[in-house]
Amino acid sequence: MLQMTGGQAVVQALVAEGVEIVFGLPGVQIMHIFDAFYDRSDIRLITVRHEQTTAYMADGYARVKGVPGVGLVVPGPGVQNASAGLGTAFSVSSPVLLLAGQIESSMIGRDLGALHEINDQLDIVRPVTKWCYRVREVAEVPTVIHEAMHQMKTGRPRPTVVEVPPDILAKTAQVSFLKAEEYPPPRPHPEQISRAAALLAKAQKPLIWAGGGTILSGASREVGALAEGLGAAVATTVEGKGIIPEDHPLSLGVGYYGHGAPAWAAPQADVVIAVGTRLTSQMYGSTRLRSPQSLIHIDIDPTVIGKNYPAEVAIVADAKMALQALVAEMQRRPGGNRGWSRQEIAEIQRSHRDWLAEKIPLQQDIISQIRQELPEDAILISGITNVGYWSHLAYPVRRPRTYFSSSYFATLGFEFPVSLGAKIAAPHLPVVCITGDGGFMYAIPELATAVQYHIPVVTLVFVDNAFGASYNDQQTRFNKRVVGTELYNPSFAQVAEVFGAKGVRVEAKRVGVALREALQTGRPTVIEVPIPTLTPPFQLPYVQGT
Ligand SMILES: Cc1ncc(C[n+]2csc(CCOP(=O)(O)OP(=O)(O)O)c2C)c(N)n1
Ligand SMILES: [Mg+2]
């Protein structure tokens, strides 16, 4: 038992849980937490310029490290500013703990007009969190933070919010702390594994759809082993990108809005093993499964199973555990599988590459220059911008946790702050952010954060002087009636310099060279690249699979 304030208890509990860094923005109700960082060498506080960044940086950090990231904000506007970041983390199943201030306990829910007051604060974050809670006593701080960690380390990892009123943060009490815990991943039911194996034994053309859940569970080896054992082709969602190297002979890469090599292959599959995905691919074109294709659906979250296509076999378990069991079960069964021939996959890949070369020569050239400059373990954050979308399909990834998107939330502006969190988590790796002139503007003030804390992310800003996707939508769906989608921009290179970062402007064909130079300087750098407005994948007709 230790005698301390609620604010000190919060920081001590974080340390006890293994938290090394917190991303925060101060305000009167949370100053006791800020004060508790004073003179501590076992935990760092990074101050950002907008609360959205607290959640985004925590998310980027969490995605790279595979451990919860922590943000700290004032109540009311602070929480609301952070909520798009929570929504993004929710969509990609990222463990982000947001510590939120509150108004004085005695005033909560009375609509008195207290500073930053918002009624039912937790109701605002409930739809984008897995769990949220208000601390009522200093002594319960460690158990509440421990429970938030438990929620994020078990099942589907999604954001949590813990709010603490300022009177609790200021009060002194005796507090005892818990040790950080790890929890065993849930194993599959053996009967479901043998049912899945029986179905797979008859499969001629099995297809694995690997989602973000496979990355979260670290199932690279298992996905590879099952694919090789069955001769199964492997398609991934954007979130599952890189679960096996995308140049593996059985890899089809990403299926995105009905595009990508999976669009050619999916219609030929007879049994599909979907792992760690709700199978959003069902919504688009040729990647949609159709009867009589059978689905074996594996997910840690039972609510996901069969959501977009009925599952013949449902396996509720950790992806790695389930795949390990399935691989072992298949090895016990006599008779080799036929599966896909490597030529078939190579031909599909060729069709996909030809299609890209025909449809998007400029984006493909830019993306190959980026790939060429980056080592295998470099991290790319693909923003909500044209080159970002096309990177899903044209930027081969070879390792898990090296490629990040904002999933179905498609949060414009997430990319730069998420990159900063990623770089803090992996200071030794190159971290590159792809953004647009629209998206970068959301978080440009964080260039100051990058300079202040020496976070040398390289940001590629593609400037088409438009909210390009919306502009292009008007070109195609609205008969070229352009309204409200054109942008005036400053020189992003000059803006970067004014902040004390490095800024350069280059033509698209010089992106590779500029990236190489930027990575060598070790400084936060903005590379501004003028481009014409371009068509995103989701505004092109679907690929017609064979
Ligand atoms: C928070 C949010 N607001 C609005 C949108 C809608 N939206 C999607 S793409 C886009 C345009 C993005 O412009 P830019 O960053 O310049 O990229 P570009 O499309 O020009 O490549 C907009 C406004 C969104 N996805 N997220
Ligand atoms: Mg733009």
Side-chain angles (χ1 to χ4, degrees), residues 56 84 384-387 389 409-413 415 435-440 442 462 464-471 487 531 533-534 536 538:
Y56 286 140
I384 295 298
T385 186
N386 196 281
V387 175
Y389 315 130
F409 218 51
T411 336
L412 195 53
E415 51 269 33
T435 188
D437 44 358
F440 191 38
Y442 276 57
F462 291 96
D464 60 356
N465 295 313
F467 282 127
S470 311
Y471 176 94
L487 296 175
I531 50 160
T533 50
L534 298 161
F538 42 80

Side-chain angles (χ1 to χ4, degrees), residues 241 256 259-260 352 355-356 359-360 363-364 367 382-383 385-395 403 434 534-540:
K241 193 169 166 68
Y256 179 63
H259 296 296
H352 169 56
W355 187 86
L356 288 177
K359 302 284 183 195
I360 55 149
Q363 295 96 316
Q364 206 186 26
I367 292 164
S382 162
T385 186
N386 196 281
V387 175
Y389 315 130
W390 285 110
S391 297
H392 302 339
L393 298 166
Y395 176 88
Y403 185 88
I434 292 179
L534 298 161
T535 307
F538 42 80
Q539 286 165 9
L540 274 184

